[in-house]
Amino acid sequence: MKRMLVMILAVIMVFAALPVVGAYAGEVEEVEKAIPAEMLAKEKIEITTRDITNASIAWVKQATGALIWAPADDTRGDDEIIAQAKTADSSLTGGTNIFSVMKGFGTAATPNTNGSKATVNVAQKDDSIIMTITGKFSHFDSLAKEAQPADPTEAPQPAEEGEKAEIRIDAPLKMAVAFEDGTVYYGGEMKEVVIGKEYVFQMCSVNWENGLFDGADNGLLGTVVYRMEVVHRDDFLALAKTAKEDPDRYTVKGIDIIDNVGKKIIVNIDATDTHLETDVNNFFMAYRFHFDGGDYNKKTGIDKVVNTPVESLSVNLPLGSTVTCKAFKGDEQIDVADVLVMNNSGEGVYEDKFLTSVNDYTWGLHELIPVEAIAHPVEYAK
């Protein structure tokens, strides 16, 4: 009898358990169905890239903030660009209440104030414009450029003839290289060139706040015009042999020959690490700004470069350029000077060592620049 009762009780427990298992399985299924597909699509990612080559604007949304990108040649104001993004994307009109605008190449952060910010970098890679987003974000989108009707009066540009190669363009910290065709390189990008063709470029200091040079309100264009030519190894070795006979004029290295008088650089395209190297003393000079009597609460600013003055400023500036600098004590401007950016002949002293790669400028001790130097900066930069 006891055995029969035990068996009956076991059967009852098994059947009693079955609805519980079925209910649990059904709940899991309902939970999965309850997750909106759009939320699954908005997976947070740490690093991602987007090709925005053909975009008129692009935006990265994060929490309550959104960064809007536009090409460097977009002449509209920030408000117009933000309004266009809002019109295109209704999600920017809800909880998004902080906006910032970034133009052209460079790096900026999303204006999010509720948590961490994402870093957005826009750079040219080959023939594409690539946006790299580092950090978490909730939404990305862009608008394509409108097709422009062909101008019947504008003749098509013939394709460049000759052997082509790619060369890396290197630039110093907080500087850029601007070529005659309007392209700007911030360092590390590749440029397609024709072997034996001469290319014209100038050095630029970028705007420290957004990392940009656009020839307008961002950055400073150097006054010295340089030329670059890329050649094969045999031609390079023949030119290097001749250049070594005149060391006062030429700087000869394994990858390039710099004509310091003619302002021309010849690059060996067959070198192991071939690139355009715009180095100190030949293309730019680092200037340190200090004050007679101490630097505390005293700052230096440079319009379009260092718009927010900085204490003990050290800034890379294009050689041969006359740069208008301003001195501040607290928030009050106390001095202004036109500084001619020149090679260091040894007067720059740091920790009792002569550094020819740095020039020191001390407010209160500087001498007036000769009128001839301002009128003819290239000659005085030699």
Side-chain angles (χ1 to χ4, degrees):
M1 185 66 178
K2 289 184 178 180
R3 177 180 295 180
M4 183 176 295
L5 289 174
V6 171
M7 292 178 64
I8 293 171
L9 181 61
V11 171
I12 292 172
M13 292 178 65
V14 169
F15 279 99
L18 288 178
V20 175
V21 175
Y24 180 78
E27 289 172 3
V28 172
E29 184 179 357
E30 290 301 319
V31 170
E32 290 178 347
K33 289 181 179 179
I35 300 176
E38 60 268 21
M39 288 194 66
L40 292 174
K42 289 182 179 179
E43 180 184 359
K44 301 295 189 294
I45 48 181
E46 295 297 331
I47 299 177
T48 191
T49 59
R50 292 288 186 269
D51 189 333
I52 57 173
T53 306
N54 297 314
S56 61
I57 60 172
W59 51 94
V60 178
K61 178 183 175 183
Q62 184 194 47
T64 59
L67 173 70
I68 317 295
W69 173 88
D73 58 359
D74 194 322
T75 58
R76 296 177 299 169
D78 290 359
D79 291 341
E80 292 180 86
I81 295 173
I82 293 171
Q84 185 185 22
K86 286 182 176 180
T87 302
D89 187 349
S90 59
S91 72
L92 298 179
T93 61
T96 309
N97 50 39
I98 307 173
F99 293 88
S100 63
V101 174
M102 169 187 179
K103 287 187 177 182
F105 300 126
T107 303
T110 54
N112 181 36
T113 58
N114 183 18
S116 62
K117 298 181 179 181
T119 301
V120 179
N121 174 267
V122 178
Q124 184 170 346
K125 184 176 181 182
D126 299 329
D127 295 327
S128 300
I129 299 175
I130 303 298
M131 174 183 285
T132 303
I133 308 167
T134 303
K136 296 182 179 180
F137 66 97
S138 60
H139 186 57
F140 166 89
D141 209 341
S142 64
L143 276 181
K145 294 178 182 177
E146 295 182 4
Q148 298 295 324
D151 186 352
T153 63
E154 185 176 341
Q157 295 294 323
E160 287 188 318
E161 297 182 357
E163 182 188 357
K164 296 180 180 179
E166 282 198 333
I167 182 172
R168 191 177 78 246
I169 308 298
D170 281 3
L173 185 65
K174 296 187 183 298
M175 296 196 77
V177 180
F179 280 84
E180 188 178 27
D181 61 2
T183 55
V184 179
Y185 297 83
Y186 295 90
E189 307 97 327
M190 302 299 292
K191 179 179 179 63
E192 185 179 72
V193 296
V194 175
I195 304 295
K197 179 180 176 180
E198 191 172 84
Y199 294 85
V200 175
F201 68 93
Q202 291 166 269
M203 298 300 298
C204 316
S205 290
V206 302
N207 184 331
W208 279 28
E209 294 181 3
N210 56 27
L212 297 178
F213 169 80
D214 58 16
D217 296 328
N218 292 306
L220 173 72
L221 179 66
T223 55
V224 180
V225 176
Y226 299 92
R227 296 172 295 150
M228 176 190 76
E229 183 179 347
V230 175
V231 299
H232 279 301
R233 180 176 180 274
D234 290 345
D235 293 330
F236 178 83
L237 293 177
L239 293 168
K241 182 178 179 180
T242 302
K244 287 179 181 179
E245 298 175 358
D246 190 357
D248 292 334
R249 173 170 179 168
Y250 296 96
T251 301
V252 181
K253 293 180 289 183
I255 64 169
D256 58 40
I257 304 165
I258 301 175
D259 183 346
N260 297 297
V261 176
K263 304 303 177 185
K264 181 173 181 177
I265 181 168
I266 299 173
V267 183
N268 178 7
I269 194 63
D270 299 320
T272 302
D273 182 24
T274 185
H275 59 275
L276 173 64
E277 182 179 20
T278 51
D279 55 359
V280 68
N281 284 314
N282 292 307
F283 297 93
F284 75 98
M285 180 57 60
Y287 264 69
R288 287 186 311 226
F289 290 84
H290 295 286
F291 288 81
D292 183 23
D295 298 337
Y296 176 70
N297 200 31
K298 298 173 185 176
K299 306 173 184 178
T300 301
I302 302 173
D303 290 347
K304 300 182 181 180
V305 178
V306 188
N307 293 318
T308 303
V310 179
E311 285 187 18
S312 303
L313 172 67
S314 178
V315 57
N316 292 332
L317 296 169
L319 274 176
S321 301
T322 299
V323 181
T324 300
C325 305
K326 299 175 182 178
F328 295 81
K329 184 175 182 180
D331 295 327
E332 179 186 359
Q333 182 177 321
I334 58 175
D335 202 354
V336 61
D338 290 327
V339 178
L340 178 61
V341 182
M342 304 174 65
N343 283 325
N344 188 341
S345 58
E347 65 273 17
V349 179
Y350 183 68
E351 294 182 353
D352 299 326
K353 294 181 180 179
F354 288 99
L355 295 178
T356 57
S357 61
V358 178
N359 255 340
D360 286 312
Y361 187 93
T362 302
W363 290 101
L365 297 182
H366 61 273
E367 299 179 358
L368 294 176
I369 298 175
V371 175
E372 295 81 8
I374 298 177
H376 306 284
V378 175
E379 287 78 359
Y380 273 77
K382 296 177 182 178

